[in-house]
Amino acid sequence: MKQKHPIGLRIGYISAALLSSGIFASGVVAAQGNKSAAKPETDVLIEKLYRSMSLPDSLDYSRDYFERNVNASLKARKEMPWGKEISDELFENFVVPLRTNNETLDESRIEFYKELAPRVRNMDMEQAALEVNHWAHEKVTYRPSDARTSSPMASVKTSWGRCGEESAFVVAAMRSVCIPARQVYTPRWAHTDDNHAWVEVFVNGRWQFLGGCEPEPILNKAWFNAPASRGMLMNSRTDGVYTGSEEILFSSPYYTLINVTENYAPTATAQVKVTDAKGKPIKDADVSFCLYNYAEFYPIARRKSDAAGTASVTTGKGDLLIIAVKGDSIGMEKISVGKESPIPVVAINHRIGDEFTFDLDLVPPVQGKNLPVVSERQETENNRRKAEEDAIRNAYMATFAKAEESMNLGLDNAADIATMSNILPASYGNHQVIKEFVKTSPDRRRAVGILKSLSEKDWRDVELEVLRSHYAETKPIAETGLDSVTYFNYLANPRVSYEWLTPYKKEILSGISKDEQKRMASDPRLWVEWVRKNIKVSGEKNPRGLNIRPISVWKHRRDIDPHSRDIFFVAGARSLGIPARLNPLSDKPEYTLDGKTWQTVEFST
């Protein structure tokens, strides 16, 4: 979510070259030409990528994919005039990596370069960074959506996205022309119920910021200057181990979370000492630094106490609630960052579940006053360009399907026509895929039912292959004995959680004998037991919590995080003809045989 700003955002179309490439038919551009022999430098960078990337990326994408994209980064470094200025550390951490957040990886590195390189080639890096954001503004504008992050190319196809999608898109665009870039995120503003994501670029020897798809005449100017100046914590991330000078909030071989608060607000060290009821220091207590927001105390950082009982993190200068837990005991204390002397003590003197109260008077940080100023001439020119970019976006959006086109899909009942009159306009740049699926399906009513089971974001980026495979590999409703709600939502539906939609049913079933399929379909406990025995769970190699595709889980079967295991269970159950879901409240896997009684699956027992 993000605060709305008076500046209206705008986007546009992608070039004729991209339209003709076929990206809007599938969401992914096919590799062109034969694979060339890898250069030694390419091999070195790919090896570093594989050492640092989370397990899902190493399973879900091919080496050839990473090789093409690493070569694209090397090409940009060679051809962009600022490439020689970028250190190896910046290049390897903030140019070469393809992942920004939890988005699906795509071909944006290669495709964006085709449009952007000619546009920025004769600029310096600062001018180029500003120009890339103007280009991004032609493509994508702000609108809220669900928690799944669209890929950069999908955002272009749709023409809009939430702030996390805008910033992921702009980071991809910056990196495509060898500008070191990263996404910055504040989990909660200190003064209002909201959060936000934006972009930093390393220009002129330092990290500077901009609003993704929100062009301004200069860097370090955006609608969020004021709220950021009183932010309590802002972070960024990179794959692997990062050795830069900034404070590290979390580090593993596969992922590093970086504290960038000092780039935006006055900071101080929030430090506490954790003790027992008698004042003895407690080691390895879980210490949460909590900000009051959305009517809850949200942990903006977590630390372990050291041998002296101390734990600390750099934050803005405001009030926090510290919650310390050790075993089944808990303690709480308010601190005022930058004002506490001596170090506050948090005594763990209650049992978890005990009732106790204490008064809190929380004060957020003071808003900064040194905001950047631009000239009237700069502002006028920037507004003129944004109006042009609005027109480009509007021209592209005028090509989207209209509600009345549902009448031309050959549907035979009013309910399906009404449904498609809602789905088609909401599919935006993906409308050709949606229309082709319905028109070419033998049972168009069943095709409409599958589309109806998906989310609005799915309509905007689902691929034709996915729709056709789930249609073909699910029995018709008449052969299942299920009611329509259970059939479409929990059997034919390609969507389980926030995973990228892929075909999987045919491949999963190909590894299970026909006899086993029949036994599991009649007794789902056999499928539960198969998953329990064969899928080895560990989240260590997936600290970002990315969703592993069901087919990758099926093939790899080890080091699978619990949530990806649960998604796979549901996907496999549906492949076997067993209606299944993740419970909308508990997120636990469930199955049903009659569509009425749901059985919760507990893999730990």
Side-chain angles (χ1 to χ4, degrees):
M1 302 293 293
K2 117 178 171 181
Q3 290 179 337
K4 192 61 180 172
H5 188 251
I7 294 177
L9 295 197
R10 25 287 122 197
I11 322 328
Y13 63 91
I14 199 141
S15 69
L18 290 190
L19 285 169
S20 63
S21 71
I23 182 170
F24 292 114
S26 66
V28 177
V29 178
Q32 301 296 316
N34 295 324
K35 176 181 170 183
S36 59
K39 297 178 181 179
E41 188 174 7
T42 302
D43 285 342
V44 170
L45 288 171
I46 290 175
E47 289 171 6
K48 288 183 178 180
L49 274 180
Y50 271 106
R51 283 199 301 270
S52 63
M53 73 175 64
S54 297
L55 181 69
D57 287 345
S58 69
L59 297 180
D60 290 343
Y61 303 93
S62 68
R63 179 186 169 90
D64 178 69
Y65 171 79
F66 291 114
E67 184 173 314
R68 292 197 314 274
N69 282 278
V70 165
N71 282 331
S73 296
L74 290 169
K75 176 183 177 182
R77 192 181 197 186
K78 180 180 179 181
E79 295 183 355
M80 292 295 97
W82 51 82
K84 59 182 179 295
E85 304 171 13
I86 298 171
S87 69
D88 288 344
E89 181 183 54
L90 285 169
F91 183 69
E92 292 170 10
N93 282 286
F94 302 109
V95 174
V96 173
L98 296 162
R99 178 163 299 289
T100 298
N101 201 317
N102 63 355
E103 73 278 11
T104 299
L105 303 185
D106 62 14
E107 298 289 344
S108 58
R109 178 67 49 95
I110 297 167
E111 294 302 319
F112 289 177
Y113 183 82
K114 295 175 185 178
E115 285 201 15
L116 284 169
R119 190 159 167 165
V120 303
R121 194 182 303 277
N122 296 320
M123 299 177 176
D124 62 34
M125 196 195 295
E126 182 173 355
Q127 292 171 329
L130 293 168
E131 186 64 26
V132 168
N133 208 25
H134 274 288
W135 174 88
H137 181 225
E138 295 172 6
K139 312 295 183 189
V140 179
T141 189
Y142 174 75
R143 194 178 297 181
S145 63
D146 65 31
R148 179 170 68 85
T149 303
S150 293
S151 72
M153 296 291 266
S155 293
V156 171
K157 184 189 293 188
T158 297
S159 80
W160 54 264
R162 56 180 167 77
C163 60
E165 291 165 326
E166 288 181 301
S167 52
F169 164 58
V170 172
V171 168
M174 295 288 182
R175 290 178 179 179
S176 76
V177 289
C178 203
I179 298 175
R182 62 191 185 185
Q183 184 185 67
V184 175
Y185 178 63
T186 180
R188 302 288 171 93
W189 291 122
H191 61 291
T192 187
D193 294 337
D194 218 335
N195 52 37
H196 191 42
W198 60 93
V199 178
E200 282 188 342
V201 291
F202 195 86
V203 173
N204 298 330
R206 62 193 178 99
W207 287 105
Q208 302 188 61
F209 71 87
L210 48 87
C213 306
E214 300 172 341
E216 294 285 354
I218 60 174
L219 295 175
N220 297 329
K221 183 178 186 299
W223 67 263
F224 52 85
N225 277 79
S229 74
R230 59 192 302 206
M232 285 298 288
L233 190 133
M234 286 148 275
N235 61 53
S236 186
R237 64 195 74 192
T238 186
D239 286 344
V241 177
Y242 176 61
T243 57
S245 59
E246 296 124 314
E247 180 181 56
I248 302 303
L249 296 169
F250 172 85
S251 182
S252 79
Y254 315 102
Y255 169 63
T256 299
L257 191 63
I258 307 163
N259 190 344
V260 300
T261 312
E262 290 180 340
N263 294 352
Y264 301 92
T267 61
T269 300
Q271 185 174 36
V272 296
K273 182 175 182 179
V274 182
T275 71
D276 61 17
K278 297 181 180 180
K280 181 180 178 181
I282 296 178
K283 181 182 178 182
D284 289 334
D286 294 310
V287 183
S288 296
F289 295 78
C290 299
L291 177 70
Y292 184 73
N293 199 288
Y294 274 121
E296 67 175 356
F297 287 101
Y298 181 86
I300 57 173
R302 290 184 172 94
R303 287 285 196 256
K304 287 279 190 181
S305 59
D306 60 20
T310 60
S312 65
V313 66
T314 301
T315 72
K317 295 182 177 181
D319 291 352
L320 294 171
L321 176 68
I322 309 302
I323 302 176
V325 176
K326 180 72 173 184
D328 60 356
S329 299
I330 189 171
M332 301 182 186
E333 189 65 49
K334 187 200 90 167
I335 67 169
S336 297
V337 181
K339 300 178 182 179
E340 299 284 1
S341 181
I343 297 174
V345 174
V346 181
I348 295 182
N349 53 7
H350 298 281
R351 305 282 288 187
I352 292 176
D354 287 351
E355 292 186 6
F356 60 94
T357 62
F358 61 98
D359 293 331
L360 285 173
D361 184 11
L362 299 169
V363 180
V366 177
Q367 181 173 306
K369 297 180 180 180
N370 297 322
L371 302 179
V373 177
V374 299
S375 69
E376 183 177 348
R377 180 179 177 182
Q378 287 176 310
E379 195 70 53
T380 299
E381 173 60 15
N382 197 63
N383 289 336
R384 182 195 66 79
R385 292 198 64 184
K386 288 193 295 185
E388 289 183 350
E389 293 151 10
D390 285 345
I392 293 172
R393 178 254 301 169
N394 289 333
Y396 167 56
M397 295 185 72
T399 68
F400 295 165
K402 305 297 188 293
E404 54 267 26
E405 294 184 38
S406 63
M407 300 291 293
N408 302 322
L409 296 178
L411 299 170
D412 59 6
N413 71 83
D416 287 348
I417 292 173
T419 297
M420 290 309 300
S421 71
N422 292 324
I423 291 177
L424 270 183
S427 64
Y428 290 81
N430 206 37
H431 60 95
Q432 294 289 5
V433 166
I434 301 300
K435 288 192 287 189
E436 182 71 10
F437 173 59
V438 174
K439 291 175 69 174
T440 59
S441 295
D443 183 348
R444 294 176 183 178
R445 185 172 297 183
R446 181 148 65 103
V448 172
I450 290 174
L451 289 172
K452 191 176 179 180
S453 72
L454 297 173
S455 70
E456 289 191 16
K457 185 173 287 184
D458 291 331
W459 301 336
R460 302 195 297 268
D461 63 12
V462 67
E463 297 173 356
L464 186 57
E465 177 194 12
V466 172
L467 294 172
R468 284 178 168 169
S469 70
H470 284 273
Y471 175 97
E473 293 155 19
T474 306
K475 291 180 179 180
I477 187 170
E479 298 179 21
T480 65
L482 297 170
D483 64 89
S484 61
V485 172
T486 304
Y487 176 83
F488 285 113
N489 288 338
Y490 308 119
L491 188 65
N493 189 352
R495 166 72 58 209
V496 178
S497 181
Y498 289 120
E499 78 283 8
W500 178 244
L501 297 185
T502 57
Y504 55 74
K505 291 184 175 180
K506 184 176 181 179
E507 188 163 352
I508 289 176
L509 292 180
S510 68
I512 304 174
S513 70
K514 295 291 185 181
D515 287 342
E516 286 179 303
Q517 290 178 34
K518 291 180 181 179
R519 288 195 295 270
M520 289 177 176
S522 61
D523 185 356
R525 291 174 299 179
L526 298 176
W527 174 238
V528 174
E529 192 59 27
W530 189 98
V531 173
R532 179 184 289 121
K533 288 182 176 179
N534 290 279
I535 306 303
K536 308 304 179 184
V537 173
S538 170
E540 180 182 353
K541 296 182 180 180
N542 186 14
R544 285 189 182 226
L546 304 174
N547 293 325
I548 305 175
R549 298 177 185 182
I551 286 301
S552 295
V553 175
W554 172 250
K555 292 177 178 178
H556 194 66
R557 303 188 185 183
R558 62 187 185 278
D559 300 318
I560 306 300
D561 63 280
H563 189 63
S564 295
R565 184 266 321 275
D566 293 347
I567 292 173
F568 170 74
F569 169 82
V570 173
R574 292 178 183 177
S575 303
L576 291 161
I578 306 165
R581 69 182 185 184
L582 297 183
N583 183 284
L585 296 179
S586 68
D587 214 31
K588 290 185 176 182
E590 298 178 330
Y591 66 84
T592 182
L593 290 177
D594 58 9
K596 299 176 182 179
T597 304
W598 288 92
Q599 178 64 49
T600 301
V601 176
E602 297 285 358
F603 286 111
S604 60
T605 57

